[in-house]
Amino acid sequence: MTTRQWVYRFGGGSAEGSADMKNLLGGKGANLAEMSSLGLPVPPGFTITTELCTAYYDAGEIYPEELSNHVENALAFIEENVGAKFGDPRDPLLISVRSGARVSMPGMMDTVLNLGLNDITVKGLAAKSGDARFAWDSYRRFLQMYGDVVLGVEHDNFEEIIDTQKMMKGAALDTDLGADDWKAVVTGFKERIEDETGNPFPQDPREQLWGAVTAVFGSWQNDRANTYRRLHNIPEDWGTAVNVQAMVFGNMGDDCATGVAFTRDPSDGRNAFYGEYLVNAQGEDVVAGIRTPQHLTVSGKEEHGSDLPAMEEVMPEVFQQLNDVRLKLEKHYRDMQDIEFTVQQNKLWMLQTRSGKRTAKAALKIACDMVDEGLINQKEAISRVDPESLDQLLHPTLDPNATRDLLTRGLPASPGAASGTVVFSSDEAESRTADGEKVILVRIETSPEDIHGMHAAEGILTSRGGMTSHAAVVARGMGRPCVSGAGDLRIDYETQTLTVTGRQISAGDVLTIDGSSGEVMIGEVPTLHPELSGDFATLMAWVDEVRDLKVRTNAENPFDAKTAVDFGAEGIGLCRTEHMFFDAERIVAVREMILAQDEEGRRKALDKILPMQRQDFIELFRIMAGKPVTIRLLDPPLHEFLPHTSEEMQQVAMASGVSVEDLRVRAVELAEANPMLGHRGCRLGVTYPEITEMQARAIFEAAVEASKYADAPVEPEVMIPLVSDKMEFDLLRERIDEVAATVFQETGSEVQYLVGTMIELPRAALCAGEIAEGAEFFSFGTNDLTQTTFGLSRDDTGGLLKEYERRGIFETDPFVTIDVGGVGELVKIGADRGRKTRPGIKLGICGEHGGDPTSVNFCADIGLDYVSCSPFRVPIAKLAAAQAALRLRG
Amino acid sequence: MTTRQWVYRFGGGSAEGSADMKNLLGGKGANLAEMSSLGLPVPPGFTITTELCTAYYDAGEIYPEELSNHVENALAFIEENVGAKFGDPRDPLLISVRSGARVSMPGMMDTVLNLGLNDITVKGLAAKSGDARFAWDSYRRFLQMYGDVVLGVEHDNFEEIIDTQKMMKGAALDTDLGADDWKAVVTGFKERIEDETGNPFPQDPREQLWGAVTAVFGSWQNDRANTYRRLHNIPEDWGTAVNVQAMVFGNMGDDCATGVAFTRDPSDGRNAFYGEYLVNAQGEDVVAGIRTPQHLTVSGKEEHGSDLPAMEEVMPEVFQQLNDVRLKLEKHYRDMQDIEFTVQQNKLWMLQTRSGKRTAKAALKIACDMVDEGLINQKEAISRVDPESLDQLLHPTLDPNATRDLLTRGLPASPGAASGTVVFSSDEAESRTADGEKVILVRIETSPEDIHGMHAAEGILTSRGGMTSHAAVVARGMGRPCVSGAGDLRIDYETQTLTVTGRQISAGDVLTIDGSSGEVMIGEVPTLHPELSGDFATLMAWVDEVRDLKVRTNAENPFDAKTAVDFGAEGIGLCRTEHMFFDAERIVAVREMILAQDEEGRRKALDKILPMQRQDFIELFRIMAGKPVTIRLLDPPLHEFLPHTSEEMQQVAMASGVSVEDLRVRAVELAEANPMLGHRGCRLGVTYPEITEMQARAIFEAAVEASKYADAPVEPEVMIPLVSDKMEFDLLRERIDEVAATVFQETGSEVQYLVGTMIELPRAALCAGEIAEGAEFFSFGTNDLTQTTFGLSRDDTGGLLKEYERRGIFETDPFVTIDVGGVGELVKIGADRGRKTRPGIKLGICGEHGGDPTSVNFCADIGLDYVSCSPFRVPIAKLAAAQAALRLRG
């Protein structure tokens, strides 16, 4: 009977596994095998496969019979390679046991070192190393780790015994304890283990080994690991591997060391060897932070102003070996590596290599440099940069070296850092900015009437509202830093102050906010400004060559539109005309329109709005000449535009000649229990056709006008929102076409245009085949589609969503990353049915998901033509689109 | 080349067509052919097919070349049969031209009589009939009809000329005019036609014929017909047929007559010949209502107290022939017929037969009688009764003979008639009813706090709210008559009065409402009470034998549950536990629960609610023993239970020890912008598990308790509302199962139960496959599903829906009849995916659609197991289910 190979050996210049066997050997095991095959100095060892883990659980936590033979043979291989025997009283082989899943997973058993020591072999180790303190220290370390992670004895137990020993000896540090002290500690440890577990500590090295292996496999199914897997969608049957490896010691004397390094600088990406080491230490000592690690290189030491000697100076030969390893690994892996090493008596041993984590800046530089160096090609460079991380590069950041006086923390609602004087109203924000001042707008929450203040301010701070609150969404759209929902803030508009736990800030004081971290600081903290040329420009040029998805922007005003074009936007995917209605000059006319008793009254008010709306469109068309501009007709329910305060009521009453009392009655009439599901979108156009007519006229007159001056064709795309049925669409399209024909006749010139719809209701997706008979494009409005598919309002369930994420019910906020299983299926249904009716129908997505890399990926999968996102996310969407294109081409 | 047969002849005891060719010949043509074949006396004629209509339009309004030959041949057939020639100056054949589509359609051209008359043939007719007055009268009738419907001359023109002639002659009635008068009128008509159309009236009979035929086909595409077709989903390519038939005259003297009849009494279904006739008249005279029609039978005459002689007396022989025809037609068609006949000089001619319209009561009696008579079988009887019409039979109706003083009209929100003294508050309704008084509860609108008042009242009248307002929905559920949205009412709670256009009603006055018509009357109008035995019981027994769909009811209280069982409900499909929360005794504890600061506080309040909720369930379980009872956990957002008025606030503040100020703060905290999409349903259970635990405990303790006394097993089905994701369901199911296990252990007895979910969100339907892993049943909550699929709130868009229906965008209100294209597809997806995961999963539907016949039909199509509806709609749903089963079996 043939059985599977449960055990893979490595070491001594060869290996049974390789780096591409991560699924079977786990990340750590695969890379140990790879380094071995490369001829790098890797302590010999073997990996028990992830398949064994699965088989073990499938069989009811029983190992296959043949496993112990496989392990024995592999152990013999290590013994032969090292030249020492496991359990040999004179020269014992010591081993480490480590877990290693495909992806690293918190909550699992990590590491047991020095396994193989017992009351007898410890003496052999002492004799062989000539260092009794080292031997007893190693034994106590083993007892401590094994007791904790394998036998489940709380680590306090062990620390308490060490502390007692130190007190008895009047010792301050571990290093003050000698061989006898550690021997006494060992005795204490063994007693405590027996007390706590009811069994003596296992002296048999093989029992120790199987105990550790079983503990690793057991930890795959503990509560923390299960929760983590559920939250991160990691299948249970991936299993974990176990790595068993000969020990090497960095703590056998001053010719020993241990360290971690990156093959390049992970903070800025420079091609400089970067790392730290400790002489005479084990790996855990580096992590524990008791001793200050030293730099590897002289330049590193100088750069960080350290006065401890660099490895380059202390162990020049070993350093040279390490540097050779570094170059070999980079050439082989063609990526920056994060490595661990140990030097035992001047001999270098490599314990780990893996791709290193890096900042966005570093990722960009490394990717570009490696193309220059011929290590990778442009396509690989594209796939090396995390799109989301670009966000860091597009906004000002706080100088990391500056001191900060942290006031409080809110939600990181819109990235970037900004400083300014505190103002509490949008009008003041505008007037102070006009005087050349930089301001931070502080509000309990913002509403559409704050748009001008938000535009004027350097940054926005609110005490209420989540990541998708008005403040957050609008600020992201504008690229303004925003901290929202800083719940500790007590804002008092009357006294013009804000208070946090006793500290009071008044209007005129200076604050700094960091919308990337959610931090709010007192005073001005210096910021660093983004550099959009250089590597960034290089990468984006490569990105533009490979991606298939077009990237447009959501923009209503010339400033945002220009910003987006600078970032490479290929058109406007969503111009929300209602944003144009809130302008102080027009809101009165808009309110007059809403309050009109009849069509005639409405038309009179609409005539006042027409020229303003037309002017907006002319500017947008000129900025976007040669690129499509999708203009969405009025979407929100009318009551959103009604005056709220008594003052506003008075103002509108005077302007419109309607009494305040009538105004109030009308407001009550228009009020809705669930406005999101109310009289809005195309329903307004169906019931008040004159609104649609005015907007269509503004669009077409503007298109004709802009065409006169533009050096490329103007491409208006009229978008009808909230359609649920083909007939609604057809009715409004007919009206729009009529207006277009009239305008073209009046002006004597024609402009090509499209009429399409937002697919933002489940029914629209299901009936997309019929709707596409008349619609020339679809833009999937996944914000609203998510709300209706889940029956979940963004405005009301911010707290609930957090709770759901915490409990692992939702993996991610479905308003941030598209819910592929539900909303995504509807988008796919809509796209498929639309294309079936009208092959080649233009398909896009607008709203928050358009700038989310995972969602962009999904859009590429289902073959949409474009995504549209806020200006500052255009580069992110482009990079994500390029990565998706590369992935889809295989 | 073979061409299609465009023309089908009938008459003379045979026919080329038959009754089953309605699609080709239209309803009228097919039945004329059928009667001919039966040997009944039908004036000979022919039908131009509906296919010709389609071919005519397809060819750009051009007739196929061969058509004129076909028509000439058919005309020759008529001539031969009648023995007169078309256009013969001495003995002209006169014909009628009538439209006849598959279904009768308002707005289309109807009839032209006496075609073939002109200035010459009119003289031949005069000579042949020996009655010049008859001849000129016939000619003027022809001119009038042809001028109006074929030439488009407004009918006022003709009436004006007749009136002038009458004035000149001092004549009061048409019958006072003689031959010369009609001759003068004819001259006037012809002049006016030429004035209006610019062309002389066509004298050529063949030109007249083609003009009339083309007018019929043309009217298939006029605006009114197109609108009607769009509203009723009638495909354009059905086309209309044209019937050309030899004229017979009921107005040639006293041996002539014309009449209409039903083969049974259409108002009560008795097997008695019922009809009216006029001596010496044309059909239009019967309709015009100038002369009082006479009864056919002596018994009919006596029954209606008429002193005009019956046909049975005046023309006994012809009557006997007609009665023979009646019996023959019933035997042949096996259904009550609506017939038209003419007697020309003592010879009977049949002009039309079709199934007759009838009241619900008559439909029921005829169906049952015909089974007794052996004419039809039980299955046919089932298909003969319109399910919706049963509603008339289940509620009290106004005595049709009673006089009424109509006050105003509202919406027919819940059927049935009721009288009582007016009260303006629910508390008063309750207290007055307790004193033995019958009351009508009058409110501007109702809220959940009016439940007790609505229960106490005989009927409910509101001035605001549509067919799906709170008042309407709750009243229908309770079977209380309700008129809602009577917008003319001015209700003044302070003065305790209501006013309509100057008439004032005070508290204590008596009103009668008719919830089937929407009428509101002053004073008491006597009502007739429903009879649920007899034919009704017979039919329902047959229905129960054939249907596959089970029918359950939506009920929360013992009264409704018992009512539903009396109507044959097979369980409870939806028990909305929140309805139990509004009871005056418990609302305080409920509010305490909501206001609690922490879990402990909530648990304390929940402990008070537990015994009350348990008691409710015990009663329901006992009434429904042996039948499943689906209990839905708390669904609406918590803020719905908060106190609204200051008085209520005070009351809760006192009971809970929380200040009114804190109460207001909490109310603001809980307020939601879109509560329909807010923190409700299973989301409450996820965040406040203790509520779910209390409800589960109440259910299982009640089930155990009720099992002790019930003579059949108690079958609780716990339903988790508003699930959007498998994990939400699993989380709550786990909790419910734990409580069940605990209760069973505590009590030492077990009850079988199921746990399932409502599929009421698009995402739940899409993810039904995963949800079904844990859910044992699905109940499709199509109210909420319709809201989210359309993005349309029932509360906010009543007016909009009406507007949409008016414009033909929605064929029917999607909250009344399920939207098959959108919501229906999601239900089907949910059912299919659910069954794929869990074959045999129990599937049902609850909510308003469960009692709508068209929707029930859909449920049968997709193979659901049951529907659930309000108690009074149980018989309707059962009948619809039986009809669907018969249809599906072919």
Side-chain angles (χ1 to χ4, degrees), chain A residues 712-734:
Chain A
V714 166
E715 302 180 26
E717 301 185 341
V718 184
M719 182 152 75
I720 303 173
L722 213 75
V723 162
S724 71
D725 191 275
K726 169 184 166 46
M727 282 201 53
E728 281 174 319
F729 179 85
D730 290 350
L731 213 89
L732 292 192
R733 148 134 238 179
E734 202 181 315

Side-chain angles (χ1 to χ4, degrees), chain A residues 672-677 683 686 727-728 761 763 788-793 796 804 807-808 819 822 825 833, chain B residues 673-677 683 686 727-728 761 763 766 788-793 796 804 807-808 819 825 833:
Chain A
E672 298 186 316
N674 293 282
M676 196 60 76
L677 308 175
R683 296 163 194 167
V686 169
M727 282 201 53
E728 281 174 319
L761 296 172
R763 195 174 194 277
T788 45
T789 303
F790 277 94
L792 200 61
S793 147
D796 298 316
Y804 267 44
R807 290 174 185 261
D819 155 52
E825 180 171 1
R833 294 184 183 179
Chain B
N674 293 283
M676 195 61 76
L677 308 175
R683 297 162 193 168
V686 169
M727 283 202 49
E728 281 174 319
L761 295 173
R763 194 174 196 277
L766 296 168
T788 45
T789 303
F790 277 94
L792 200 62
S793 147
D796 297 315
Y804 267 44
R807 290 176 186 259
D819 155 51
E825 181 173 1
R833 295 183 182 181

Side-chain angles (χ1 to χ4, degrees), chain A residues 230 671-680 682-684 686-689 722 724-725 727-728 731 735 761-764 766-767 787-797 800 803-804 807-810 819-823 825-826 829 833, chain B residues 230 671-680 682-684 686-689 722 724-725 727-728 731 735 761-764 766-767 787-797 800 803-804 807-810 819-823 825-826 829 833:
Chain A
R230 204 181 61 211
E672 298 186 316
N674 293 282
M676 196 60 76
L677 308 175
H679 192 179
R680 51 173 288 230
C682 70
R683 296 163 194 167
L684 291 174
V686 169
T687 47
Y688 302 120
L722 213 75
S724 71
D725 191 275
M727 282 201 53
E728 281 174 319
L731 213 89
R735 237 163 244 152
L761 296 172
R763 195 174 194 277
L766 295 168
C767 300
Q787 294 198 97
T788 45
T789 303
F790 277 94
L792 200 61
S793 147
R794 294 209 294 185
D795 299 331
D796 298 316
T797 51
L800 186 74
E803 180 85 6
Y804 267 44
R807 290 174 185 261
I809 298 175
F810 290 164
D819 155 52
V820 173
V823 178
E825 180 171 1
L826 284 175
I829 287 173
R833 294 184 183 179
Chain B
R230 204 181 61 213
E672 298 184 316
N674 293 283
M676 195 61 76
L677 308 175
H679 192 180
R680 53 174 287 230
C682 69
R683 297 162 193 168
L684 291 173
V686 169
T687 46
Y688 301 119
L722 213 76
S724 70
D725 192 275
M727 283 202 49
E728 281 174 319
L731 212 89
R735 235 163 245 153
L761 295 173
R763 194 174 196 277
L766 296 168
C767 301
Q787 295 197 100
T788 45
T789 303
F790 277 94
L792 200 62
S793 147
R794 292 209 297 183
D795 299 332
D796 297 315
T797 52
L800 187 74
E803 180 86 5
Y804 267 44
R807 290 176 186 259
I809 299 175
F810 289 165
D819 155 51
V820 173
V823 178
E825 181 173 1
L826 284 175
I829 287 173
R833 295 183 182 181

